Amino acid sequence: MSCPTSFLYARAYAHATEDVEKVVRAVRSVVEARFTATTARGHHGNVIIIIEARLEDCEALEALKSIISRLDDVEFTLMLSGIEEGRLYVKFDKQQAFLGVLRVAHGDDVVYLEVRTRSLVVRDVREFLVSLREALKT
């Protein structure tokens, strides 16, 4: 049987004024995975390093479980507000993630996370996430 998640994608930007290793540490605090780093240029020609990770199937599910288990009730509820069209989109504060704390954020200095579920397995993403959280509490 296939996993209810199809993939999990994480991304953060390390701007020229930031320590890339610290940004990687922040992203790893959200999801432990193998990352790629791509160099890009900003609007004004400044160097930006894009840190990305992609997990599929059951690896994505395990990472999602890890994230959910580390959220308090308030942060979990805030995370649920990021559900759109069968997908979960959430941003975590990059500085807090560096410290090992997951806090939902709405700005630009974040670790971005997208989780897609399999529509044939998961009909209601909110219900799936809530039941997953309940199962992790036991």
Side-chain angles (χ1 to χ4, degrees), residues 43-118:
H43 181 69
H44 299 287
N46 51 313
V47 174
I48 299 171
I49 308 294
I50 305 167
I51 315 288
E52 298 175 291
R54 182 181 172 121
L55 298 172
E56 297 183 3
D57 303 320
C58 293
E59 286 183 329
L61 178 62
E62 291 306 313
L64 179 60
K65 286 178 181 179
S66 174
I67 291 165
I68 289 172
S69 70
R70 292 180 284 142
L71 295 175
D72 64 25
D73 290 341
V74 171
E75 296 302 319
F76 180 73
T77 301
L78 289 170
M79 183 186 81
L80 292 178
S81 68
I83 297 171
E84 293 180 20
E85 299 179 17
R87 298 178 182 154
L88 172 66
Y89 302 97
V90 63
K91 297 176 182 179
F92 292 106
D93 182 281
K94 193 164 60 177
Q95 282 75 34
Q96 290 295 307
F98 173 77
L99 298 172
V101 178
L102 297 184
R103 294 282 179 252
V104 175
H106 298 288
D108 294 329
D109 197 25
V110 297
V111 176
Y112 169 83
L113 188 76
E114 177 182 348
V115 179
R116 292 188 187 181
T117 58
R118 298 186 191 287

